[in-house]
Structure formats: C-alpha cells, structure tokens
Amino acid sequence: MFEKTLKYEDLNISPNEIYEQMGYGNNVPDKNVQQETAEIIATIKKTIQPRLCFFISKGLLDIENNELGIMGRILDIGQIICRQLRHSEAYALFVATAGSEFEELQQCIKAGGDMVKIFIADAVGSVIAEKTADQMECYLEECICAYNWYHTNRFSPGYCGWHVSQQQLLFTMFGTENPCGVHLTSSSLMIPIKSVSGIIGVGKNVRKLEYTCGLCDFKDCYKRKRRKNSKE
C-alpha cells in the first residue's frame, strides 16, 4: 500500500478555491472575509498533516448486477459507477484526509463560537480533503504510468448510487484498522470528518472525464454544486 503524509504547501490551494467552496462562485468576498480566511489558513498551515493512501488490486466487475468483486468482497457500487468502471484492468482503493490535527483545530474554532470562523474553517477543511485526494491521484498516475494505464474519476460511497454503508466493507480491505488514521462510526461516517474514500478504475482503455454530473440525479452532490458555482 502506498502511503504519504503531506504539508499544506503540497496541496497548491488557491484562495479562490476556498472562496468557491464558501459559495462565492467566481466572486471574491469582502476584505474582512479575505483577512479572516488568510488568518485561519496561516494557523492551519502550522499544524495540519494531510494523509493519503491507496493500493491497487485486481477485481471482477459484474455489469448485470452492478457489483464489483474484489479481495473476496462484493461491493454493490450501483449502475452509474459500474458503467464508469467498465474496461478497468484493476482498481485503486483509497483514503485521503485533512488529518486528525485539522479535526482538533476545527473543534477549537467551534468552541470559540465565532460563526464566521467556523464557516471558513469548514470550507478550508473540505478543500484540503479534496486536494489531498487530488494529490493521491497524482501519485497513482506515477504508479500506473509504467503500464501505460490511465484512470477513471474517483467514486466514493454515498454518491452516484453507492450506499454510504458500503464504506464499512471498503475499509476492511486496507489491512489496517484505521487507514491514514481514519476510522468509521457505526453509521459509516468517517472521522476525521474531512476525509474522502473510494475507488478508481485503472487500465489502458479507461479515461477520467471532466464532468459526470449528467449521469447522476443526486441534486445535493457537492461536485454538482461546485460546477454550478463555477458557471455563475
């Protein structure tokens, strides 16, 4: 299994990405919000240790039943993801997280009761988790380039018809109880909360698509909201 601990600087996060996550779209908030955001980022930089891990395994995709058999388990991934994973020669299972250090910092900010800071910190944490997952994809690309393989988009339990409870089964495949320091609650919520997990198809005949929102009818998906904001 490939594992990596990162620094904030490794994530290449721009202020605009955070503002977009906050709901500003392509606009910029007022000077006060910009200053608050900069101060929170400065604090976060000193403490966080984002982590990522992944491994690649062969599997058997069952198009008829919308299932993926992998490592002796059967993942009920649903029709949408199953179609996107067609032609995969193997599968990468991953976890990426903003880390427990960020979780502790966020709890301290919440205890302070300043709703603006709480809102900004939450947005920053979401961006950190997603950008850590982006870095995971970069390392994955390095691993598969020797085979002249490509990879699909990443897909997570809770989205595109893959029930969030399947997270429990997914986590049993990592060979460690808490991959990247992430553990699951009984309701399949990841702790630290700002974490991402899922699966990616790899092979010579798969591709990563720019947008796949047209394939899915989940109106509250964060990726759909992000795409909408970017057009405004």
Side-chain angles (χ1 to χ4, degrees), residues 56-78 81-82 85-93 173 199-202:
I56 300 172
S57 175
K58 293 288 187 178
L60 182 62
L61 195 64
D62 184 344
I63 299 292
E64 183 176 345
N65 294 307
N66 301 318
E67 295 175 341
L68 173 63
I70 185 169
M71 297 183 65
R73 285 85 161 175
I74 302 296
L75 295 175
D76 185 8
I77 55 178
I81 297 176
C82 196
L85 294 180
R86 286 180 301 180
H87 310 303
S88 297
E89 297 178 54
Y91 304 89
L93 279 65
M173 301 185 204
I199 192 167
I200 299 173
V202 298

Side-chain angles (χ1 to χ4, degrees), residues 4 7-8 20 34 36 55 79 81 94-96 109-110 122 130 132 140 144 158 185 187 224 227:
K4 188 78 173 179
K7 298 178 181 178
Y8 184 89
E20 183 181 346
Q34 291 184 54
E36 286 273 23
F55 67 89
Q79 184 180 61
I81 297 176
F94 70 89
V95 174
I109 293 173
K110 287 182 178 178
D122 185 78
E130 284 298 311
T132 302
L140 174 62
I144 64 177
T185 68
S187 59
R224 185 185 299 273
R227 182 184 179 190

Side-chain angles (χ1 to χ4, degrees), residues 7-214:
K7 298 178 181 178
Y8 184 89
E9 290 77 11
D10 297 325
L11 304 178
N12 300 313
I13 298 173
S14 71
N16 287 339
E17 288 176 297
I18 296 173
Y19 302 150
E20 183 181 346
Q21 179 67 35
M22 292 165 64
Y24 286 95
N26 292 324
N27 300 312
V28 176
D30 62 42
K31 294 293 184 181
N32 290 333
V33 174
Q34 291 184 54
Q35 183 176 347
E36 286 273 23
T37 303
E39 291 175 356
I40 288 174
I41 290 173
T43 301
I44 288 171
K45 283 182 178 179
K46 299 175 183 177
T47 59
I48 68 163
Q49 296 186 57
R51 298 173 181 84
L52 60 90
C53 63
F54 67 85
F55 67 89
I56 300 172
S57 175
K58 293 288 187 178
L60 182 62
L61 195 64
D62 184 344
I63 299 292
E64 183 176 345
N65 294 307
N66 301 318
E67 295 175 341
L68 173 63
I70 185 169
M71 297 183 65
R73 285 85 161 175
I74 302 296
L75 295 175
D76 185 8
I77 55 178
Q79 184 180 61
I80 294 170
I81 297 176
C82 196
R83 287 177 176 176
Q84 295 305 301
L85 294 180
R86 286 180 301 180
H87 310 303
S88 297
E89 297 178 54
Y91 304 89
L93 279 65
F94 70 89
V95 174
T97 179
S100 58
E101 297 82 4
F102 176 83
E103 180 94 355
E104 293 171 4
L105 178 60
Q106 190 176 26
Q107 292 303 319
C108 289
I109 293 173
K110 287 182 178 178
D114 187 320
M115 296 307 297
V116 174
K117 290 182 179 180
I118 292 171
F119 175 69
I120 294 172
D122 185 78
V124 174
S126 295
V127 174
I128 290 172
E130 284 298 311
K131 295 288 277 189
T132 302
D134 289 345
Q135 288 299 308
M136 177 275 302
E137 288 190 21
C138 292
Y139 288 113
L140 174 62
E141 288 167 4
E142 292 179 6
C143 290
I144 64 177
C145 67
Y147 301 94
N148 293 317
W149 281 0
Y150 303 95
H151 67 84
T152 68
N153 297 68
R154 57 182 185 253
F155 299 99
S156 299
Y159 296 93
C160 301
W162 189 6
H163 199 276
V164 70
S165 63
Q166 290 266 292
Q167 198 112 255
Q168 301 285 349
L169 193 57
L170 181 71
F171 267 56
T172 66
M173 301 185 204
F174 283 87
T176 180
E177 187 174 358
N178 301 316
C180 291
V182 179
H183 70 273
L184 298 176
T185 68
S186 59
S187 59
S188 301
L189 177 69
M190 287 183 286
I191 305 294
I193 294 174
K194 298 303 182 182
S195 302
V196 184
S197 69
I199 192 167
I200 299 173
V202 298
K204 291 182 179 179
N205 297 310
V206 299
R207 293 293 185 273
K208 182 178 181 180
L209 304 178
E210 182 178 3
Y211 292 118
T212 56
C213 295

